[in-house]
Amino acid sequence: MKYQTKHLFAILLGSFVIVAQLAAQDDDEIFILSPFEISASSESGYRVGNVVSAGLIEQQIYDIPIPLQVLDDKLLSDFNTDDFHRILQYTPGVQQTSTGTHGADFRVRGYQSRALRNGFFVFAPPVTSNIERIEVAKGPSSVLYGLGATGGVVNRLSKSPQFKDAGSLYVGTGSDGYFRSLLDVTGPIGNSEKVAFRLIADHFRYESDVDFEETDRSAITPSLRFLPTKNIILNFEYEEQAIRDTPEMELPVLSDADTGGDTDRAKISRGGTVYTYNEYGPDSWRDIDTSTFTAEATIFLSEAITFNAAIFDTSLHSDEGLLRDTRTPNGNTRFEIDNRVIDNEAYRASFLFNWNIGEDILVKTVLGYDDREERPTRIGRRRRANQEGLVFNADTLTAPGHEVALVRAEDPFRFNPRRITAQGTRLTNTISAMDGKLHAILGVRQDESETESLRNGSKTDGDDTTHQLGFIYEFREGVSFFANSSSSYAPNGQLDRNGNTFAPQTGDGFDVGFKFLGVDGKFSGEITYFDLSRENVAVRINIADDPSTPDIDERESFFEISGEENSKGFEFVFAYDPVDHLQLLLSGSFYDPKVVSDANDPRRIGLEPEDQVSSSLSFLTTYTREDWDFGMSVNWRDDAPTQSRYDRRNVRTDDYVLVNLFAKYRFKMMDHDAEFSVNIDNALDKREYINIQGSFGQPLQAKAGLKVFF
């Protein structure tokens, strides 16, 4: 299968070279914006008019029969969102689910989803400074992206080089040791009309009120746009990121005797010293290095035919050392070292055809092929205090330096090493008829995949055909009804207790709802009812939860296959400008997730799957007055079942409300535009909220910064 894939991609690449030479002979008109990219038209404040994530070509949100929510660069800049999981506060129905090395796994409508970067699946933690916008497309997405999640996708679009000189420098500081510097500069190289560049360099650090926790991140992203002829666009982007931090706090099972009844971020007395509880001591570390390279070409063969091809390569390397005081009943303190290497390569090629049926029906057809391979490897070493003689000081939560060398010298064991390959061919038609009152999307895709366990050689092949059928009809001015049916297919990359692979996961669902667009442009929105199901779901089983496995054999978690899960409910997004300079945005998600069947663990039937926040709301408002901008967000998350090593079915988080504020003042500084900004995150200082699994969120944090434009 892989052999055939490489040859097919070689054929497409060969056709790319041929059509490039043909296209180079056409000198009639210069194109500098691809239909596979986003223009800045139809945007007002935080309201975005066009997207690409719902069809891989630019379309108006109002014309797409798919629920969508978009967060643009202005919102990210106003609220100074330097950490990606904070961005998800503004997207009800979407939540980050992992605090580990990746930090790039999400649930959309309750179902696991991988993050996208410019339409490619990626493992690396997101670099927020290089995000032009975030597009959340709801519902099964295999037809568009291949092996997509049932609930939807979170697609991050990168900032691109511009042929106009522009730049900015931001420097900010704040509480909890916060500091950030951000440089973003773009423009043509020299006086060239053919080559433009962009360079983004970002560094920030902050500490936590939880002992031993701190984060230091640096990222640099150079990119290049090259127009060799009047109808060829070449884009290149490289991104490198370094993260140095101590791990996040996890929520252990603590009794009142442990905490003295003090639940304010779980303080605990150890050896006469009161710590804000962290099961990882100061000798723990986590170093993550990521790199991503993208090359993309767009060729305008004629007014009716466009060819696009892209190559995407990303890698993640991490070195993590954890001195864990898990405080299990048998005192399971241990030192563990994990090294992870994740490599991901992907390719895609598409032809876009614009054609008419008669005089009134306009059709855009995308014929595409993509291919990807993932190779995640995790190597661990572990030494225990109670069983293997680890020297551990319970008062200081530290171990002598020579203990690290002892652990590194031990024979490593592997956590579920595997390789996943996947290929797919898709045909998607977007149709406009009846003078633009009716729009439809008709798509079909054929996928093949192979999951291989590198632990014992187990392999699982899979293939499936998925569909997407939807329409939206404007039955009265500014009010449209839409319906959409779609299916999904994804290989299960996890392994069972014995290292064997699973059959792929499948899903299907439908959306029905209304979209609104006021004639005066002051009001827009959508409301959706959805019903989604998925089958053959891999469910994580922690060893400590499994009574058949003695604790002495604990090496890793493993997975079992459940039967069916269902999620149904409704969502809405509304934007309203009641008067000039004032904007209001309200969005919400309310759904009911349930386990329908699970032969391995019937106790789960009828319960909510773990780590799902089924109800959430977000309210945003901004006001501009002369040289001032003011803004506030209020974000509510309901309580949810959380994963626990000791009782993953009954432990629940509390619901919480977070309030974020910002103010900006614009002025001139030495003939340059400048702005001074103040941000207050978690303004009400909510102290005990849990935003990801068992990890506490950040308390009140104040920031102030100066941004100069040049």
Short mmCIF file of all heavy atoms in Angstrom, two decimals, residues 91-97 105-113 136 138-139 149-153 505 530 532-534 537-538 565-569 571 589-595 604 607-616 640-641:
data_model
loop_
_atom_site.label_atom_id
_atom_site.label_comp_id
_atom_site.label_asym_id
_atom_site.label_seq_id
_atom_site.Cartn_x
_atom_site.Cartn_y
_atom_site.Cartn_z
N THR A 91 -14.20 29.09 22.86
CA THR A 91 -14.80 28.18 21.89
C THR A 91 -15.62 27.12 22.63
O THR A 91 -15.12 26.02 22.89
CB THR A 91 -13.74 27.50 21.02
OG1 THR A 91 -12.78 26.86 21.88
CG2 THR A 91 -13.03 28.52 20.15
N PRO A 92 -16.85 27.41 23.03
CA PRO A 92 -17.68 26.40 23.69
C PRO A 92 -17.80 25.14 22.85
O PRO A 92 -17.89 25.19 21.62
CB PRO A 92 -19.03 27.11 23.83
CG PRO A 92 -18.69 28.56 23.87
CD PRO A 92 -17.53 28.70 22.92
N GLY A 93 -17.82 24.00 23.52
CA GLY A 93 -17.88 22.72 22.83
C GLY A 93 -16.53 22.17 22.44
O GLY A 93 -16.44 21.07 21.91
N VAL A 94 -15.46 22.95 22.72
CA VAL A 94 -14.09 22.52 22.42
C VAL A 94 -13.28 22.63 23.69
O VAL A 94 -13.32 23.65 24.38
CB VAL A 94 -13.45 23.37 21.31
CG1 VAL A 94 -12.05 22.88 20.99
CG2 VAL A 94 -14.31 23.36 20.06
N GLN A 95 -12.51 21.61 24.01
CA GLN A 95 -11.67 21.65 25.20
C GLN A 95 -10.38 20.87 24.98
O GLN A 95 -10.35 19.87 24.27
CB GLN A 95 -12.42 21.04 26.40
CG GLN A 95 -12.73 19.56 26.22
CD GLN A 95 -13.54 18.98 27.34
OE1 GLN A 95 -14.73 18.75 27.19
NE2 GLN A 95 -12.89 18.74 28.46
N GLN A 96 -9.31 21.38 25.55
CA GLN A 96 -8.06 20.64 25.52
C GLN A 96 -8.16 19.50 26.52
O GLN A 96 -8.73 19.62 27.59
CB GLN A 96 -6.89 21.56 25.89
CG GLN A 96 -5.53 20.92 25.70
CD GLN A 96 -4.40 21.92 25.84
OE1 GLN A 96 -4.61 23.12 25.77
NE2 GLN A 96 -3.20 21.42 26.04
N THR A 97 -7.59 18.34 26.14
CA THR A 97 -7.74 17.15 26.98
C THR A 97 -6.43 16.60 27.49
O THR A 97 -6.42 15.60 28.18
CB THR A 97 -8.45 16.04 26.19
OG1 THR A 97 -7.65 15.70 25.05
CG2 THR A 97 -9.82 16.49 25.75
N ASP A 105 -4.07 17.93 21.83
CA ASP A 105 -5.22 17.05 21.68
C ASP A 105 -6.46 17.75 22.25
O ASP A 105 -6.39 18.39 23.30
CB ASP A 105 -5.01 15.74 22.42
CG ASP A 105 -3.91 14.90 21.78
OD1 ASP A 105 -3.70 15.04 20.57
OD2 ASP A 105 -3.26 14.12 22.50
N PHE A 106 -7.60 17.57 21.57
CA PHE A 106 -8.81 18.28 21.94
C PHE A 106 -10.00 17.35 21.88
O PHE A 106 -9.95 16.28 21.27
CB PHE A 106 -9.06 19.46 21.00
CG PHE A 106 -7.87 20.34 20.82
CD1 PHE A 106 -7.01 20.16 19.76
CD2 PHE A 106 -7.61 21.35 21.71
CE1 PHE A 106 -5.91 20.97 19.59
CE2 PHE A 106 -6.51 22.17 21.56
CZ PHE A 106 -5.66 21.97 20.50
N ARG A 107 -11.06 17.78 22.51
CA ARG A 107 -12.37 17.19 22.29
C ARG A 107 -13.25 18.25 21.64
O ARG A 107 -13.31 19.38 22.10
CB ARG A 107 -13.00 16.73 23.61
CG ARG A 107 -12.37 15.49 24.20
CD ARG A 107 -13.22 14.95 25.33
NE ARG A 107 -12.58 13.87 26.04
CZ ARG A 107 -12.60 12.60 25.66
NH1 ARG A 107 -13.24 12.28 24.56
NH2 ARG A 107 -12.00 11.67 26.36
N VAL A 108 -13.91 17.86 20.57
CA VAL A 108 -14.90 18.70 19.91
C VAL A 108 -16.23 17.97 20.00
O VAL A 108 -16.35 16.84 19.52
CB VAL A 108 -14.53 18.98 18.45
CG1 VAL A 108 -15.55 19.92 17.81
CG2 VAL A 108 -13.13 19.57 18.34
N ARG A 109 -17.20 18.61 20.65
CA ARG A 109 -18.49 17.98 20.93
C ARG A 109 -18.31 16.67 21.70
O ARG A 109 -19.08 15.73 21.54
CB ARG A 109 -19.26 17.73 19.64
CG ARG A 109 -19.72 18.99 18.94
CD ARG A 109 -20.42 18.66 17.64
NE ARG A 109 -21.09 19.84 17.07
CZ ARG A 109 -21.70 19.85 15.90
NH1 ARG A 109 -21.74 18.75 15.17
NH2 ARG A 109 -22.29 20.95 15.45
N GLY A 110 -17.27 16.59 22.49
CA GLY A 110 -17.04 15.43 23.33
C GLY A 110 -16.17 14.36 22.72
O GLY A 110 -15.81 13.40 23.40
N TYR A 111 -15.77 14.51 21.45
CA TYR A 111 -15.01 13.46 20.78
C TYR A 111 -13.58 13.92 20.52
O TYR A 111 -13.33 15.07 20.15
CB TYR A 111 -15.67 13.09 19.45
CG TYR A 111 -17.01 12.42 19.61
CD1 TYR A 111 -18.00 12.59 18.66
CD2 TYR A 111 -17.30 11.64 20.72
CE1 TYR A 111 -19.24 11.98 18.80
CE2 TYR A 111 -18.53 11.02 20.88
CZ TYR A 111 -19.50 11.19 19.92
OH TYR A 111 -20.72 10.59 20.06
N GLN A 112 -12.66 12.99 20.71
CA GLN A 112 -11.24 13.31 20.56
C GLN A 112 -10.95 13.81 19.15
O GLN A 112 -11.45 13.28 18.16
CB GLN A 112 -10.39 12.07 20.85
CG GLN A 112 -8.93 12.37 21.15
CD GLN A 112 -8.74 13.02 22.51
OE1 GLN A 112 -9.60 12.90 23.37
NE2 GLN A 112 -7.64 13.69 22.70
N SER A 113 -10.12 14.84 19.09
CA SER A 113 -9.76 15.43 17.80
C SER A 113 -8.32 15.89 17.85
O SER A 113 -7.84 16.36 18.88
CB SER A 113 -10.67 16.63 17.48
OG SER A 113 -10.29 17.25 16.26
N VAL A 136 -12.85 26.55 13.76
CA VAL A 136 -13.40 25.32 14.33
C VAL A 136 -14.57 24.90 13.46
O VAL A 136 -15.60 25.58 13.41
CB VAL A 136 -13.86 25.53 15.79
CG1 VAL A 136 -14.39 24.22 16.35
CG2 VAL A 136 -12.71 26.05 16.64
N LYS A 138 -17.34 22.10 12.89
CA LYS A 138 -18.00 21.07 13.68
C LYS A 138 -18.54 19.94 12.79
O LYS A 138 -18.85 20.15 11.63
CB LYS A 138 -19.16 21.68 14.48
CG LYS A 138 -18.77 22.84 15.39
CD LYS A 138 -17.93 22.39 16.56
CE LYS A 138 -17.62 23.52 17.52
NZ LYS A 138 -18.78 24.04 18.24
N GLY A 139 -18.65 18.75 13.38
CA GLY A 139 -19.19 17.60 12.69
C GLY A 139 -18.10 16.72 12.11
O GLY A 139 -16.93 17.11 12.04
N ALA A 149 -11.80 13.53 12.92
CA ALA A 149 -12.53 13.23 14.14
C ALA A 149 -14.03 13.37 13.90
O ALA A 149 -14.47 14.12 13.03
CB ALA A 149 -12.08 14.16 15.25
N THR A 150 -14.81 12.65 14.71
CA THR A 150 -16.26 12.69 14.55
C THR A 150 -16.83 14.05 14.94
O THR A 150 -17.75 14.55 14.30
CB THR A 150 -16.91 11.59 15.41
OG1 THR A 150 -16.35 10.33 15.06
CG2 THR A 150 -18.41 11.56 15.22
N GLY A 151 -16.30 14.65 15.99
CA GLY A 151 -16.87 15.90 16.49
C GLY A 151 -16.52 17.12 15.69
O GLY A 151 -17.26 18.11 15.69
N GLY A 152 -15.38 17.10 14.99
CA GLY A 152 -14.94 18.26 14.23
C GLY A 152 -13.45 18.45 14.34
O GLY A 152 -12.73 17.61 14.89
N VAL A 153 -12.95 19.57 13.81
CA VAL A 153 -11.52 19.84 13.80
C VAL A 153 -11.25 21.28 14.25
O VAL A 153 -12.09 22.16 14.11
CB VAL A 153 -10.90 19.63 12.39
CG1 VAL A 153 -10.97 18.17 12.00
CG2 VAL A 153 -11.59 20.50 11.35
N GLN A 505 -11.69 3.30 13.96
CA GLN A 505 -12.89 3.90 14.53
C GLN A 505 -13.72 4.53 13.41
O GLN A 505 -13.17 5.12 12.48
CB GLN A 505 -12.50 4.97 15.54
CG GLN A 505 -13.66 5.72 16.15
CD GLN A 505 -13.19 6.91 16.97
OE1 GLN A 505 -13.74 8.00 16.88
NE2 GLN A 505 -12.17 6.72 17.78
N PHE A 530 -27.36 18.92 16.75
CA PHE A 530 -26.54 17.86 16.17
C PHE A 530 -26.77 16.55 16.91
O PHE A 530 -27.18 16.51 18.07
CB PHE A 530 -25.06 18.24 16.21
CG PHE A 530 -24.49 18.42 17.59
CD1 PHE A 530 -23.95 17.34 18.29
CD2 PHE A 530 -24.48 19.66 18.19
CE1 PHE A 530 -23.43 17.50 19.56
CE2 PHE A 530 -23.97 19.84 19.47
CZ PHE A 530 -23.43 18.76 20.16
N LEU A 532 -24.45 12.92 16.95
CA LEU A 532 -23.26 12.23 16.46
C LEU A 532 -23.08 10.91 17.19
O LEU A 532 -23.37 10.80 18.39
CB LEU A 532 -22.01 13.10 16.69
CG LEU A 532 -22.03 14.54 16.19
CD1 LEU A 532 -20.77 15.25 16.62
CD2 LEU A 532 -22.19 14.58 14.68
N SER A 533 -22.56 9.92 16.50
CA SER A 533 -22.23 8.63 17.11
C SER A 533 -20.89 8.15 16.55
O SER A 533 -20.53 8.46 15.41
CB SER A 533 -23.30 7.59 16.80
OG SER A 533 -24.52 7.92 17.42
N ARG A 534 -20.19 7.40 17.36
CA ARG A 534 -18.96 6.76 16.90
C ARG A 534 -18.87 5.37 17.52
O ARG A 534 -19.40 5.12 18.61
CB ARG A 534 -17.72 7.58 17.26
CG ARG A 534 -17.50 7.79 18.75
CD ARG A 534 -16.20 8.50 19.02
NE ARG A 534 -15.96 8.68 20.46
CZ ARG A 534 -14.83 9.12 20.98
NH1 ARG A 534 -13.82 9.43 20.18
NH2 ARG A 534 -14.68 9.26 22.27
N VAL A 537 -14.35 2.63 19.81
CA VAL A 537 -13.59 3.70 20.45
C VAL A 537 -12.55 3.10 21.40
O VAL A 537 -12.88 2.25 22.23
CB VAL A 537 -14.53 4.64 21.23
CG1 VAL A 537 -13.74 5.79 21.85
CG2 VAL A 537 -15.63 5.15 20.32
N ALA A 538 -11.31 3.54 21.28
CA ALA A 538 -10.25 3.09 22.18
C ALA A 538 -10.33 3.90 23.47
O ALA A 538 -10.25 5.13 23.46
CB ALA A 538 -8.88 3.27 21.53
N GLU A 565 -20.52 5.32 21.35
CA GLU A 565 -20.75 6.52 22.13
C GLU A 565 -21.60 7.48 21.30
O GLU A 565 -21.45 7.55 20.08
CB GLU A 565 -19.44 7.19 22.54
CG GLU A 565 -18.60 6.35 23.49
CD GLU A 565 -17.30 7.04 23.89
OE1 GLU A 565 -17.10 8.20 23.46
OE2 GLU A 565 -16.50 6.43 24.61
N ASN A 566 -22.48 8.22 21.97
CA ASN A 566 -23.37 9.14 21.28
C ASN A 566 -23.30 10.51 21.95
O ASN A 566 -23.13 10.62 23.16
CB ASN A 566 -24.81 8.63 21.30
CG ASN A 566 -25.79 9.61 20.66
OD1 ASN A 566 -26.41 10.41 21.34
ND2 ASN A 566 -25.89 9.54 19.34
N SER A 567 -23.42 11.55 21.13
CA SER A 567 -23.43 12.92 21.63
C SER A 567 -24.45 13.71 20.84
O SER A 567 -24.39 13.76 19.62
CB SER A 567 -22.04 13.54 21.47
OG SER A 567 -22.03 14.89 21.89
N LYS A 568 -25.40 14.31 21.55
CA LYS A 568 -26.43 15.11 20.88
C LYS A 568 -26.71 16.36 21.70
O LYS A 568 -26.62 16.35 22.93
CB LYS A 568 -27.70 14.30 20.68
CG LYS A 568 -28.38 13.85 21.94
CD LYS A 568 -29.65 13.05 21.66
CE LYS A 568 -29.34 11.73 21.01
NZ LYS A 568 -30.55 10.88 20.85
N GLY A 569 -27.03 17.44 21.00
CA GLY A 569 -27.31 18.68 21.70
C GLY A 569 -27.39 19.83 20.72
O GLY A 569 -27.60 19.64 19.53
N GLU A 571 -25.84 24.04 19.71
CA GLU A 571 -24.80 25.06 19.84
C GLU A 571 -25.28 26.33 19.15
O GLU A 571 -26.14 26.28 18.26
CB GLU A 571 -23.49 24.59 19.20
CG GLU A 571 -22.90 23.36 19.84
CD GLU A 571 -21.74 22.80 19.04
OE1 GLU A 571 -21.77 22.90 17.79
OE2 GLU A 571 -20.84 22.23 19.67
N SER A 589 -22.52 25.89 23.98
CA SER A 589 -22.63 24.50 23.56
C SER A 589 -23.23 23.71 24.71
O SER A 589 -22.74 23.77 25.85
CB SER A 589 -21.24 23.94 23.20
OG SER A 589 -21.32 22.57 22.85
N PHE A 590 -24.30 22.98 24.42
CA PHE A 590 -24.98 22.15 25.42
C PHE A 590 -25.31 20.80 24.77
O PHE A 590 -26.09 20.75 23.82
CB PHE A 590 -26.27 22.83 25.90
CG PHE A 590 -26.05 24.17 26.55
CD1 PHE A 590 -25.98 25.32 25.77
CD2 PHE A 590 -25.89 24.26 27.92
CE1 PHE A 590 -25.77 26.56 26.35
CE2 PHE A 590 -25.68 25.50 28.51
CZ PHE A 590 -25.61 26.65 27.74
N TYR A 591 -24.69 19.75 25.25
CA TYR A 591 -24.95 18.45 24.66
C TYR A 591 -24.93 17.37 25.74
O TYR A 591 -24.48 17.57 26.86
CB TYR A 591 -23.93 18.14 23.56
CG TYR A 591 -22.48 18.05 24.01
CD1 TYR A 591 -21.94 16.84 24.42
CD2 TYR A 591 -21.66 19.17 24.00
CE1 TYR A 591 -20.61 16.74 24.81
CE2 TYR A 591 -20.33 19.09 24.39
CZ TYR A 591 -19.82 17.88 24.79
OH TYR A 591 -18.51 17.79 25.19
N ASP A 592 -25.43 16.20 25.36
CA ASP A 592 -25.57 15.08 26.28
C ASP A 592 -24.75 13.91 25.75
O ASP A 592 -25.20 13.18 24.86
CB ASP A 592 -27.05 14.69 26.39
CG ASP A 592 -27.27 13.54 27.36
OD1 ASP A 592 -26.40 13.32 28.22
OD2 ASP A 592 -28.32 12.86 27.25
N PRO A 593 -23.54 13.70 26.28
CA PRO A 593 -22.72 12.57 25.82
C PRO A 593 -22.99 11.33 26.67
O PRO A 593 -23.13 11.40 27.88
CB PRO A 593 -21.30 13.08 26.05
CG PRO A 593 -21.41 13.98 27.24
CD PRO A 593 -22.80 14.57 27.21
N LYS A 594 -23.10 10.18 26.01
CA LYS A 594 -23.36 8.94 26.73
C LYS A 594 -22.62 7.77 26.08
O LYS A 594 -22.40 7.75 24.87
CB LYS A 594 -24.86 8.62 26.74
CG LYS A 594 -25.69 9.48 27.67
CD LYS A 594 -27.13 9.01 27.70
CE LYS A 594 -27.95 9.85 28.67
NZ LYS A 594 -29.38 9.41 28.71
N VAL A 595 -22.24 6.81 26.93
CA VAL A 595 -21.72 5.54 26.44
C VAL A 595 -22.91 4.64 26.17
O VAL A 595 -23.69 4.33 27.07
CB VAL A 595 -20.78 4.89 27.47
CG1 VAL A 595 -20.32 3.52 26.98
CG2 VAL A 595 -19.58 5.79 27.75
N ARG A 604 -19.81 1.38 32.31
CA ARG A 604 -19.77 2.68 31.66
C ARG A 604 -21.05 3.01 30.91
O ARG A 604 -21.29 4.16 30.56
CB ARG A 604 -18.59 2.75 30.68
CG ARG A 604 -17.24 2.59 31.33
CD ARG A 604 -16.12 2.70 30.29
NE ARG A 604 -16.00 4.02 29.74
CZ ARG A 604 -16.11 4.32 28.45
NH1 ARG A 604 -16.39 3.37 27.57
NH2 ARG A 604 -15.96 5.56 28.01
N LEU A 607 -23.28 6.28 31.17
CA LEU A 607 -22.52 7.34 31.83
C LEU A 607 -21.88 8.26 30.81
O LEU A 607 -21.75 7.93 29.63
CB LEU A 607 -21.43 6.74 32.74
CG LEU A 607 -21.90 5.82 33.87
CD1 LEU A 607 -20.69 5.31 34.64
CD2 LEU A 607 -22.85 6.55 34.80
N GLU A 608 -21.45 9.43 31.27
CA GLU A 608 -20.68 10.34 30.43
C GLU A 608 -19.26 9.80 30.29
O GLU A 608 -18.66 9.37 31.27
CB GLU A 608 -20.60 11.73 31.06
CG GLU A 608 -21.92 12.41 31.27
CD GLU A 608 -21.72 13.72 32.02
OE1 GLU A 608 -21.06 14.62 31.47
OE2 GLU A 608 -22.20 13.81 33.16
N PRO A 609 -18.70 9.82 29.09
CA PRO A 609 -17.28 9.51 28.96
C PRO A 609 -16.43 10.50 29.75
O PRO A 609 -16.85 11.63 30.01
CB PRO A 609 -17.02 9.63 27.45
CG PRO A 609 -18.37 9.46 26.83
CD PRO A 609 -19.34 10.07 27.81
N GLU A 610 -15.21 10.09 30.13
CA GLU A 610 -14.37 10.93 30.97
C GLU A 610 -13.92 12.18 30.23
O GLU A 610 -13.81 12.22 29.01
CB GLU A 610 -13.14 10.14 31.45
CG GLU A 610 -13.45 8.94 32.30
CD GLU A 610 -13.89 7.74 31.49
OE1 GLU A 610 -13.59 7.70 30.28
OE2 GLU A 610 -14.56 6.86 32.06
N ASP A 611 -13.61 13.23 31.04
CA ASP A 611 -13.02 14.47 30.53
C ASP A 611 -13.88 15.16 29.49
O ASP A 611 -13.38 15.64 28.47
CB ASP A 611 -11.62 14.21 29.96
CG ASP A 611 -10.65 13.70 30.99
OD1 ASP A 611 -10.72 14.17 32.14
OD2 ASP A 611 -9.84 12.81 30.67
N GLN A 612 -15.18 15.23 29.71
CA GLN A 612 -16.06 15.92 28.78
C GLN A 612 -16.84 17.00 29.51
O GLN A 612 -17.59 16.72 30.44
CB GLN A 612 -17.03 14.94 28.13
CG GLN A 612 -16.37 13.94 27.22
CD GLN A 612 -17.33 13.36 26.22
OE1 GLN A 612 -18.32 13.99 25.86
NE2 GLN A 612 -17.05 12.17 25.76
N VAL A 613 -16.64 18.24 29.07
CA VAL A 613 -17.41 19.36 29.58
C VAL A 613 -18.58 19.56 28.62
O VAL A 613 -18.42 20.11 27.53
CB VAL A 613 -16.56 20.64 29.68
CG1 VAL A 613 -17.40 21.79 30.20
CG2 VAL A 613 -15.36 20.40 30.58
N SER A 614 -19.75 19.10 29.01
CA SER A 614 -20.87 19.04 28.08
C SER A 614 -21.66 20.34 27.97
O SER A 614 -22.51 20.47 27.10
CB SER A 614 -21.82 17.91 28.47
OG SER A 614 -22.30 18.10 29.79
N SER A 615 -21.41 21.29 28.87
CA SER A 615 -22.10 22.58 28.80
C SER A 615 -21.11 23.71 29.01
O SER A 615 -20.32 23.68 29.95
CB SER A 615 -23.19 22.66 29.89
OG SER A 615 -24.17 21.66 29.70
N SER A 616 -21.14 24.70 28.13
CA SER A 616 -20.20 25.82 28.23
C SER A 616 -20.76 27.03 27.51
O SER A 616 -21.53 26.91 26.55
CB SER A 616 -18.83 25.44 27.64
OG SER A 616 -18.97 24.89 26.34
N ALA A 640 -17.66 18.35 35.25
CA ALA A 640 -17.40 17.27 34.30
C ALA A 640 -16.73 16.11 35.01
O ALA A 640 -16.03 16.29 36.01
CB ALA A 640 -16.49 17.77 33.17
N PRO A 641 -16.94 14.88 34.52
CA PRO A 641 -16.20 13.73 35.06
C PRO A 641 -14.74 13.83 34.63
O PRO A 641 -14.44 14.11 33.48
CB PRO A 641 -16.89 12.53 34.42
CG PRO A 641 -17.46 13.06 33.15
CD PRO A 641 -17.83 14.49 33.42
#
